[in-house]
Amino acid sequence: AKSSHWKKLLNSFLIPNLSKRKADIISTVEFNHTGELLATGDKGGRVVIFQREQESKNQVHRRGEYNVYSTFQSHEPEFDYLKSLEIEEKINKIRWLPQQNAAYFLLSTNDKTVKLWKVSERDKRPEGYNLKDEEGRLRDPATITTLRVPVLRPMDLMVEATPRRVFANAHTYHINSISVNSDYETYMSADDLRINLWNFEITNQSFNIVDIKPANMEELTEVITAAEFHPHHCNTFVYSSSKGTIRLCDMRASALCDRHTKFFEEPEDPSNRSFFSEIISSISDVKFSHSGRYIMTRDYLTVKVWDLNMENRPIETYQVHDYLRSKLCSLYENDCIFDKFECVWNGSDSVIMTGSYNNFFRMFDRNTKRDVTLEASRENSKPRAILKPRKVCVGGKRRKDEISVDSLDFSKKILHTAWHPSENIIAVAATNNLYIFQDKVN
Amino acid sequence: MSQKQEEENPAEETGEEKQDTQEKEGILPERAEEAKLKAKYPSLGQKPGGSDFLMKRLQKGVWGIISYPLSLEPKRVLGMKSVEQKYFDSGDYNMAKAKMKNKQLPSAGPDKNLVTGDHIPTPQDLPQRKSSLVTSKLAG
C-alpha cells in the first residue's frame, strides 16, 4: 500500500556527538517562531543554537540545513547552602520569544532559575580610535598630533549571547515548565506545587498565580507536572497533574487561580485499577494546539487530544507503546516508568508526534488515523536515506524486520522532540545526538 | 474448557491474590505485573500515589530524608527516579566535586584534594571551580 507523503521522511542530517559524557545529554529542543533557529539545552547547562541555511538557487536539493549558530553556557551548578543540596545546571526548558528586532531572545531554565538570553550578531567593528591603537593598547597622548573620526568596518560575523535578565529565588520546588504569554510582556514558570507569573522587565518580583501546596503536607495528593499559556488568549493557561488531570485557569477570574475554570479528567473504570494506574496516568507534557482549540497530553502509555469545550473525556486517544503494559514491573524497578516524554503538534495541528524507547518515535495523523513508528539511529543516518517504518512485535512469530518487546533498549529513550512551525521538519533528541529530518522533496 | 485448565494448573501459585491474577491475566496485564512486583517487595504500600510518595519526589536530593521502611531501598519507596547525591554541607559538596575532578585528572596528586585533616588549607589547596566555557560537543 502506498504510504501517505508525510510518512516518507528524508533524513537530512545528523548532528553527531561521539562523546559519552552525561553533560552532553540533550534535555530540551525548541524551534523558534519562524523555524529559522533551533535551540537545544543539555545536562551540562549549555545551550546550542542552530540556524537554517538560506536556500541557494545552486543547491536545490539541499533544503536548508541547520548549522551551529551560537553556543553558550546558560546555567552553572550551584549549591543551596541552606538546604545542603545541589542545584543541577541541566536545562529543563527553552522557550523563544517572538522576534521584535534584529536580536533573538530566549528563556532558559534549570530547576531553580530562569534566564532571559539575548543572541545578537555583530558584523561591524569600529576602527580608527584616537586614544587606542588597533590592538586596544592605549596610545601615549603626547604622540597624537591629529584627530580622526572612527569608522565602522565589516568584520567576520560574531554571534554573542548575553544574559539580559535573571529570574531567581522564586521557586522552592523544581521548575518543570516555562511558557511565554501571547502578550509578550509576561511569562510563567511552574514548579511541582506553584506557578509564578513574571514580567520580563522585572526580576525581583513575581506574582504567584497557582499554589496547590496543602497546609499539611501529609495531605499532598498531586503535583503540577506541566503548564502552558493559551496561544492567543493571554488570560488563559492550563496545567497538568500527576493524577492525569488538566486544569484550565482564567486570570481574569481572580488573582490566585487555585480554583480552576475548567477541569479535564477522563473517568477511570475502577475495575481496571492497579498499583501502576496512578503512575502511568501522570501527565508528563501538555501542549495547546496552534489553533488554541485543543490540548494534547502525554502520559506514560498514551497521547490524548482534548477539546477545550469538553471536559469529561478526551476526543482522541493514541496508544504509543501499549505493549509495555506487560512490562510494568521491570519498568518500575529500573525507574523507566517515571520517564517524562514530551509531545508536539505539527504546524497545521493535523499530526502529533511523541517519543518512545529504543530510539523510536511515533507520529499519529489525526485525520487519516494512521500512525507510524520511526527510528532515530546512526544506521539510518546516511544523507537522503528514507526512514523505514519500524514495528514492534508483541508476541508469537516475529517477522524479519520486526523487533520484539524484550529486545527493546530502554536506555535509548526519545523524550524531547520538536516540529518546525510551518514545514515538515522535525528535530529528535536521542540522548546525546540530535537528528533533524525533513519531508521528502519530490 | 479454559476454566477447567485454570483449576488444574495452580502450579507454583498460591494465595487468593494469585488466583485472581490468573483469571484477570487475560484481561489486565497490569495486574499480573502488580502481582510480580508485590511478590518481590511484599512490604510495598498499597497506594503509591499517597503523600509519602509525592513528598519524596519534592525533596529530590535533600539531606536527611524522611524515614522509610527498612525492608526497602529508598528508591522503591520514593517511587521516583534515583535520588541524587546527598551532601552533609557545602564542605562535603566541594569535596565530592574535587573527587570527581580527581578522577578525570589522574596526574594530579591525591594530597592536593585532601584539604581537611592534617593541615590548614591555603587558597592554593582549594579545588578549583569548574570553568564556565566548556564547549558543547554538539557544536563540533
Side-chain angles (χ1 to χ4, degrees):
Chain A
K2 263 201 195 149
S3 308
S4 55
H5 76 279
W6 63 268
K7 275 202 222 169
K8 291 197 185 107
L9 283 186
L10 180 138
N11 182 321
S12 175
F13 57 102
L14 150 74
I15 316 271
N17 189 331
L18 301 169
S19 149
K20 294 272 186 268
R21 288 190 308 178
K22 268 194 150 175
D24 288 344
I25 295 174
I26 301 170
S27 50
T28 185
V29 190
E30 188 83 355
F31 280 100
N32 75 339
H33 292 261
T34 59
E36 183 204 351
L37 299 180
L38 175 67
T40 61
D42 67 21
K43 209 160 188 279
R46 286 172 309 245
V47 172
V48 181
I49 301 176
F50 299 88
Q51 185 186 42
R52 196 176 184 192
E53 252 175 28
Q54 292 303 315
E55 286 176 37
S56 72
K57 294 204 175 72
N58 299 334
Q59 299 178 308
V60 180
H61 293 294
R62 285 163 61 95
R63 274 160 100 244
E65 289 193 355
Y66 283 83
N67 303 313
V68 177
Y69 179 66
S70 172
T71 305
F72 56 93
Q73 186 76 28
S74 173
H75 287 72
E76 295 273 6
E78 288 174 63
F79 191 73
D80 182 335
Y81 293 92
L82 200 59
K83 295 183 189 171
S84 289
L85 63 89
E86 182 174 15
I87 301 168
E88 261 196 301
E89 67 274 37
K90 173 170 76 95
I91 308 295
N92 292 338
K93 286 277 156 40
I94 289 174
R95 289 288 180 264
W96 291 93
L97 269 67
Q99 199 174 2
Q100 289 175 306
N101 53 35
Y104 302 102
F105 287 87
L106 62 81
L107 286 176
S108 70
T109 187
N110 69 347
D111 281 340
K112 295 287 181 181
T113 305
V114 185
K115 293 187 185 180
L116 175 70
W117 286 89
K118 175 181 177 181
V119 182
S120 50
E121 294 181 3
R122 193 199 287 255
D123 61 357
K124 295 187 240 316
R125 70 155 175 254
E127 284 177 19
Y129 284 111
N130 290 291
L131 297 175
K132 293 189 287 187
D133 66 19
E134 294 311 317
E135 274 82 56
R137 288 183 298 235
L138 290 173
R139 290 168 70 188
D140 179 0
T143 64
I144 299 169
T145 52
T146 59
L147 283 179
R148 55 187 176 174
V149 179
V151 291
L152 289 174
R153 292 211 192 283
M155 61 180 256
D156 288 337
L157 180 67
M158 199 167 75
V159 183
E160 301 173 311
T162 46
R164 301 297 292 166
R165 305 273 187 275
V166 177
F167 305 92
N169 303 321
H171 287 279
T172 308
Y173 304 100
H174 297 102
I175 298 174
N176 51 56
S177 314
I178 44 175
S179 179
V180 178
N181 205 349
S182 52
D183 62 10
Y184 305 159
E185 285 183 4
T186 58
Y187 77 92
M188 69 156 132
S189 55
D191 67 31
D192 288 326
L193 296 180
R194 298 191 178 102
I195 303 180
N196 294 329
L197 181 73
W198 301 83
N199 181 302
F200 281 110
E201 300 303 316
I202 300 167
T203 57
N204 61 359
Q205 287 181 53
S206 72
F207 285 109
N208 175 245
I209 52 176
V210 173
D211 188 340
I212 65 168
K213 184 178 179 194
N216 180 3
M217 284 297 267
E218 296 291 311
E219 290 162 6
L220 182 69
T221 54
E222 64 185 325
V223 295
I224 298 168
T225 52
E228 196 181 47
F229 268 118
H230 189 283
H232 315 132
H233 305 306
C234 56
N235 52 284
T236 305
F237 65 92
V238 293
Y239 68 91
S240 57
S241 86
S242 54
K243 277 182 135 178
T245 63
I246 307 104
R247 287 171 179 80
L248 183 140
C249 299
D250 186 334
M251 294 195 290
R252 296 170 302 189
S254 66
L256 189 60
C257 297
D258 280 358
R259 272 203 304 251
H260 53 261
T261 304
K262 289 193 187 229
F263 182 70
F264 299 84
E265 185 179 34
E266 184 168 24
E268 189 201 9
D269 183 356
S271 68
N272 284 348
R273 192 150 181 88
S274 75
F275 174 83
F276 304 108
S277 297
E278 191 168 314
I279 303 175
I280 62 173
S281 72
S282 175
I283 293 173
S284 50
D285 195 16
V286 66
K287 292 265 171 48
F288 271 101
S289 63
H290 292 89
S291 63
R293 166 85 188 260
Y294 305 102
I295 48 175
M296 166 166 56
T297 59
R298 174 70 154 100
D299 52 61
Y300 191 60
L301 299 176
T302 71
V303 187
K304 295 180 172 148
V305 177
W306 306 72
D307 186 324
L308 285 191
N309 299 320
M310 187 163 77
E311 298 167 57
N312 60 0
R313 60 180 171 82
I315 55 167
E316 294 155 31
T317 300
Y318 301 94
Q319 301 296 332
V320 182
H321 37 217
D322 199 55
Y323 45 77
L324 294 184
R325 254 180 230 278
S326 54
K327 296 264 165 231
L328 291 177
C329 179
S330 37
L331 292 170
Y332 179 86
E333 289 183 289
N334 62 19
D335 282 346
C336 284
I337 204 174
F338 302 106
D339 284 337
K340 297 191 177 67
F341 291 94
E342 292 171 7
C343 53
V344 290
W345 298 87
N346 73 339
S348 59
D349 298 336
S350 58
V351 183
I352 59 183
M353 172 167 72
T354 189
S356 178
Y357 294 105
N358 209 71
N359 281 347
F360 287 170
F361 57 101
R362 304 261 286 138
M363 285 189 190
F364 303 92
D365 186 321
R366 296 179 60 217
N367 299 324
T368 65
K369 298 303 177 200
R370 289 163 81 170
D371 62 86
V372 70
T373 305
L374 299 166
E375 183 178 0
S377 80
R378 286 180 178 279
E379 289 83 58
N380 295 341
S381 63
K382 298 183 192 41
R384 288 191 206 100
I386 294 183
L387 288 181
K388 200 175 61 170
R390 310 286 284 148
K391 195 147 161 50
V392 177
C393 128
V394 186
K397 284 220 175 105
R398 185 181 75 87
R399 291 211 197 97
K400 197 184 76 166
D401 282 340
E402 291 180 355
I403 180 164
S404 76
V405 183
D406 297 311
S407 316
L408 293 175
D409 188 343
F410 290 97
S411 67
K412 292 188 181 157
K413 47 194 96 176
I414 292 180
L415 305 173
H416 313 288
T417 60
W419 203 308
H420 189 285
S422 51
E423 294 184 39
N424 277 347
I425 304 175
I426 57 173
V428 177
T431 319
N432 287 12
N433 294 305
L434 179 70
Y435 292 80
I436 299 181
F437 300 111
Q438 297 191 72
D439 207 0
K440 184 172 180 227
V441 182
N442 287 313
Chain B
M1 183 72 122
S2 59
Q3 237 178 354
K4 197 165 181 234
Q5 273 182 335
E6 266 167 18
E7 277 162 8
E8 280 174 0
N9 297 334
E12 309 82 30
E13 313 226 81
T14 52
E16 281 180 342
E17 208 180 47
K18 298 285 169 110
Q19 203 164 20
D20 235 10
T21 310
Q22 252 191 331
E23 283 162 6
K24 281 217 183 272
E25 204 165 300
I27 310 159
L28 214 58
E30 292 106 286
R31 290 290 175 84
E33 292 296 299
E34 182 174 358
K36 250 192 249 173
L37 195 65
K38 291 220 168 118
K40 283 192 182 181
Y41 311 104
S43 44
L44 199 60
Q46 263 304 311
K47 205 164 132 38
S51 62
D52 258 0
F53 163 68
L54 290 172
M55 272 292 280
K56 278 130 195 174
R57 174 193 167 133
L58 298 179
Q59 290 175 354
K60 167 176 100 164
V62 170
W63 168 76
I65 208 150
I66 301 168
S67 64
Y68 46 83
L70 292 171
S71 57
L72 289 171
E73 290 170 29
K75 184 168 87 164
R76 316 289 181 225
V77 176
L78 288 171
M80 52 172 268
K81 291 209 154 291
S82 308
V83 183
E84 288 172 349
Q85 171 76 41
K86 296 186 282 285
Y87 301 99
F88 183 79
D89 60 16
S90 59
D92 185 22
Y93 172 71
N94 284 314
M95 289 288 292
K97 283 275 162 201
K99 224 182 270 177
M100 264 164 42
K101 230 186 224 340
N102 204 15
K103 280 196 195 134
Q104 287 167 16
L105 304 162
S107 53
D111 283 333
K112 233 176 181 246
N113 290 308
L114 279 174
V115 181
T116 58
D118 293 329
H119 70 282
I120 296 166
T122 61
Q124 287 85 352
D125 290 339
L126 291 175
Q128 292 301 311
R129 196 168 170 279
K130 94 171 187 192
S131 104
S132 304
L133 293 166
V134 181
T135 323
S136 164
K137 286 283 189 272
L138 275 184

